[in-house]
Amino acid sequence: MDLRLSGAEATAEERAAVDALLDPLLGPRDVDGRAGPDSGHEARGRRHLLLPALHAVSDAVGFLSEGALNHVATRLSVPPADVYGVATFYAMFAVEPRAPRVVHVCDDVACGPYGGEDLATRLTAELGPEGSGADACWVRSPCLGLCERAPAVMFQLAGEPDFSHAPAVGEDVVRAARGATAAAAADAAFADPGVSVPQTRSPRGGSLTLLRRIGVVDPTSLDDYRAHGGYETLRRAVDLGASRVVQELKDSSLTGRGGAAFPTGVKWDGVATAPVRPHYLVCNADESEPGTFKDRVLMEYDPFGLVEAMTIAGWATGCERGYLYVRGEYPLATRRLEHAIEQARRRGYLGEDVMGEGVTFDIELRRGAGAYICGEETALLNSIEGFRGEPRNKPPFPSVSGLFGKPTVINNVETLYNVLQVLDVGGPAFASVGGERSTGTKLFCVSGAVATPGVYEVDFGTTLRELLTLAGGLRGELRTILLGGAAGGFVMPDQLDVPLTLEGAREIGATLGSGVVLAFDTDADLVGTLRRIAAFFRDESCGQCVPCRVGTVRQEEALARLERGTPIGDRETELALLDDLARVMRDASICGLGQTAPAAVGSALALGLLDRPDPTTNGKASAWVPR
């Protein structure tokens, strides 16, 4: 293959970073640096290593130079234009020189009003404008998944491990950014955000299930995990047999916890019975919905539980390999999962003969690099395969043609943890909690104007009021609650007795989504919140389809004009435009990002949340007056 490279050469450090990753995987290289014979089929078979190779360079040097991209293109026989296209798709990669120490400051809906903007102001004064600085710089970031400990930052460091910190104090952040904090001190002070599960029992008296090991079991110890019941469920699954495990999932009526709520047993059965081989399992751990952090807590403090659940899922559906795709902004979860996978493999819980039962299954961890769209299942598959994380048209669905064109099971983190509970108690017993399509327990990410933010586990059917009480009640007077995340909708104070089920939320025009419960008091700037949500979807649109690529931009522009009080025509004209944009994005976008991008804006307008008295007009109602 003629790659048509530019004349730029990689540095010795860049070459070493790439070669250290690829040499053990690809074997000896030929004279031009490629990995052995270079047929088209062999070249395509290496492309899935593109994202890890880009990470290797970025981790070592801090950015991706033209020479480094050329070297990656040569090693993998991928056209340099494709390598550049993938590198520029992800927010955590830079293709221009930048400071080796980068501070990502969350300014999203949970952190921005609770110190994120103040932190950005402090860092501007100390380090300079956003993105500037030779030794250290700062950039704005969408949600970092530490909403319960706002404000949050993440340090992306060349040649050192990344780490997150929350709640972030300006002085400490500046000191760490300048390198004054030694690595050991950074690990002690910053790396572990602390367990955010302020709960020991469910509000109705039951014991916790999904969270039962959080804060109890040492997340780095396989022995401690086993001492608390670890791997007993896998043994039980093997005793039951694969078909019986799938039937238990069907009997449980377990639905996906990522937002789509598709029946898990049906998905597993479709892949298990597919005649095409091999089958693949993918765990979607790219938790990027603003306000969501439940999967992070599970992965950081119960990593072996996810490894066990993936092993059960892989065995039951005929998969010998699973891919665990972890959000790039979760450095602690990534390290603990890597350690858990290594320990499980070493002790015979992963590999060619799991637990001596003749089961073959192994897990490969893949790091994302800052792209919300990769939470969409087909975009995630493209990302693993080494392409831009753009969604595919469906059908075919992943259960028919997924990863590498083979039948693929895709579940998110919380769904897989529920599998352990289904097999522990049995499908019918699991289904007896809640009802209809809302069975078992559900994790909710409670943040904002509540006394005790954190992850809470409740039975489906628990009311929103009960959940808020569990979180210590409200701080201030409640104005509204954003339910389901940026792609969700608003709930008013007179709707707090809604049962938290798929059906209950639908009855009030809302959605449970990813389990976000973000409370706003009467002092909250809802206009600013909606602008931030609109900006988030604008930034995160992959740009593949026109309705989303253009619609998210136009939506934000209309909100900005209304906020400034300079509508095109009048307010009613702008509102009609927003309604038209929402209809087009919902009906014509390829994937769920475009289809739900107008959801929160439409919900706020429908509920009149942006109409409030303007003190400059003697109390007459005036829309779009920021607080």
Side-chain angles (χ1 to χ4, degrees):
M1 181 187 296
D2 184 1
L3 296 178
R4 299 185 181 276
L5 302 171
S6 70
E9 295 286 340
T11 66
E13 186 178 10
E14 291 167 340
R15 286 177 175 272
V18 175
D19 295 345
L21 170 75
L22 297 182
D23 282 351
L25 300 173
L26 301 181
R29 288 171 280 164
D30 59 20
V31 292
D32 65 359
R34 294 186 178 92
D38 194 31
S39 70
H41 178 74
E42 289 165 335
R44 288 191 295 273
R46 297 196 291 268
R47 180 157 186 157
H48 72 100
L49 297 172
L50 178 53
L51 187 57
L54 296 176
H55 267 299
V57 177
S58 182
D59 290 346
V61 182
F63 74 103
L64 303 170
S65 70
E66 185 179 352
L69 295 179
N70 280 343
H71 185 59
V72 171
T74 300
R75 290 298 318 269
L76 297 178
S77 297
V78 175
D82 284 11
V83 176
Y84 181 82
V86 172
T88 54
F89 185 82
Y90 297 97
M92 292 179 67
F93 292 146
V95 295
E96 298 293 338
R98 71 175 181 184
R101 308 180 72 84
V102 182
V103 185
H104 296 259
V105 179
C106 180
D107 68 345
D108 222 308
V109 291
C111 280
Y114 291 94
E117 290 296 340
D118 294 338
L119 192 56
T121 301
R122 173 70 182 272
L123 292 177
T124 299
E126 297 282 353
L127 303 179
E130 181 180 3
S132 66
D135 298 319
C137 69
W138 72 278
V139 295
R140 291 180 179 271
S141 170
C143 181
L144 292 172
L146 291 159
C147 319
E148 80 284 19
R149 301 172 64 85
V153 297
M154 185 189 75
F155 290 83
Q156 193 176 4
L157 310 174
E160 302 177 52
D162 297 346
F163 61 89
S164 298
H165 174 48
V169 178
E171 180 180 348
D172 294 338
V173 173
V174 171
R175 184 159 37 85
R178 288 174 170 164
T181 304
D187 284 343
F190 292 105
D192 190 339
V195 179
S196 297
V197 183
Q199 181 187 13
T200 56
R201 297 182 68 81
S202 75
R204 297 183 176 180
S207 59
L208 300 179
T209 57
L210 301 175
L211 301 178
R212 65 186 182 276
R213 286 187 289 263
I214 307 298
V216 176
V217 175
D218 179 356
T220 66
S221 172
L222 177 55
D223 288 332
D224 199 18
Y225 176 71
R226 291 185 60 204
H228 287 82
Y231 282 102
E232 291 178 3
T233 308
L234 176 57
R235 180 73 66 184
R236 185 176 301 113
V238 173
D239 291 341
L240 286 173
S243 60
R244 177 65 184 278
V245 167
V246 173
Q247 187 59 50
E248 291 288 347
L249 265 291
K250 288 183 175 180
D251 293 343
S252 73
S253 298
L254 172 65
T255 54
R257 302 302 201 236
F262 190 84
T264 304
V266 173
K267 182 183 292 187
W268 283 27
D269 187 50
V271 173
T273 58
V276 178
R277 297 285 171 162
H279 298 170
Y280 290 103
L281 169 70
V282 174
C283 174
N284 184 349
D286 192 54
E287 177 183 60
S288 306
E289 182 76 24
T292 313
F293 48 92
K294 58 185 176 62
D295 291 352
R296 171 187 62 79
V297 171
L298 290 171
M299 291 186 290
E300 288 178 349
Y301 295 99
D302 191 13
F304 290 102
L306 183 56
V307 174
E308 181 180 5
M310 287 186 66
T311 306
I312 294 170
W315 171 74
T317 56
C319 306
E320 294 188 352
R321 176 161 292 272
Y323 286 85
L324 175 50
Y325 189 96
V326 183
R327 188 182 181 200
E329 293 92 339
Y330 282 177
L332 179 60
T334 299
R335 286 194 290 272
R336 287 185 171 172
L337 286 167
E338 287 175 336
H339 174 77
I341 292 170
E342 178 186 355
Q343 291 297 307
R345 189 180 293 130
R346 181 180 303 171
R347 301 277 289 275
Y349 292 101
L350 288 174
E352 295 184 356
D353 188 16
V354 175
M355 297 194 310
E357 295 287 347
V359 175
T360 299
F361 183 75
D362 211 338
I363 297 173
E364 184 172 337
L365 187 144
R366 290 295 177 90
R367 292 163 58 198
Y372 169 76
I373 189 62
C374 287
E376 196 279 334
E377 59 182 9
T378 60
L380 186 153
L381 297 178
N382 275 340
S383 182
I384 292 176
E385 292 181 12
F387 296 92
R388 291 166 63 89
E390 297 174 341
R392 305 172 183 175
N393 286 317
K394 292 184 287 190
F397 293 95
S399 59
V400 176
S401 178
L403 189 63
F404 309 123
K406 304 299 182 182
T408 303
V409 178
I410 305 178
N411 290 129
N412 87 321
V413 172
E414 185 186 351
T415 306
L416 287 166
Y417 277 90
N418 269 282
V419 169
L420 300 176
Q421 178 64 8
V422 169
L423 297 181
D424 284 345
V425 303
F430 186 93
S432 68
V433 177
E436 298 185 65
R437 297 177 62 237
S438 306
T439 61
T441 63
K442 179 76 182 78
L443 298 181
F444 287 95
C445 313
V446 185
S447 61
V450 295
T452 313
V455 178
Y456 290 89
E457 179 182 359
V458 298
D459 294 349
F460 267 118
T462 300
T463 66
L464 185 54
R465 188 184 305 277
E466 288 177 298
L467 178 62
L468 293 174
T469 301
L470 190 63
L474 298 162
R475 290 187 285 108
E477 182 182 351
L478 179 65
R479 180 82 194 285
T480 187
I481 291 172
L482 180 60
L483 184 63
F490 290 93
V491 175
M492 301 303 287
D494 61 356
Q495 297 173 312
L496 295 186
D497 292 315
V498 59
L500 292 172
T501 61
L502 300 172
E503 299 79 16
R506 188 182 304 115
E507 287 181 5
I508 62 170
T511 176
L512 297 186
S514 58
V516 172
V517 177
L518 179 58
F520 295 91
D521 61 22
T522 50
D523 291 327
D525 177 10
L526 292 183
V527 176
T529 296
L530 286 182
R531 279 286 308 279
R532 185 63 190 88
I533 290 174
F536 171 80
F537 283 115
R538 176 207 65 203
D539 291 341
E540 298 297 339
S541 172
C542 73
Q544 180 180 195
C545 69
V546 172
C548 180
R549 181 177 70 242
V550 177
T552 53
V553 174
R554 296 292 174 258
Q555 176 176 255
E556 187 193 15
E557 290 174 346
L559 290 171
R561 289 193 297 268
L562 287 167
E563 184 178 9
R564 292 194 305 267
T566 57
I568 295 176
D570 54 22
R571 178 175 181 270
E572 285 65 32
T573 301
E574 293 285 18
L575 295 182
L577 173 61
L578 285 169
D579 187 61
D580 287 344
L581 286 170
R583 186 178 298 110
V584 171
M585 284 192 279
R586 282 195 303 265
D587 293 345
S589 294
I590 287 177
C591 78
L593 187 150
Q595 294 162 11
T596 59
V601 174
S603 173
L605 292 172
L607 294 172
L609 281 170
L610 303 176
D611 297 329
R612 56 169 71 247
D614 183 349
T616 65
T617 59
N618 296 321
K620 295 180 181 179
S622 175
W624 301 93
V625 179
R627 252 180 132 68

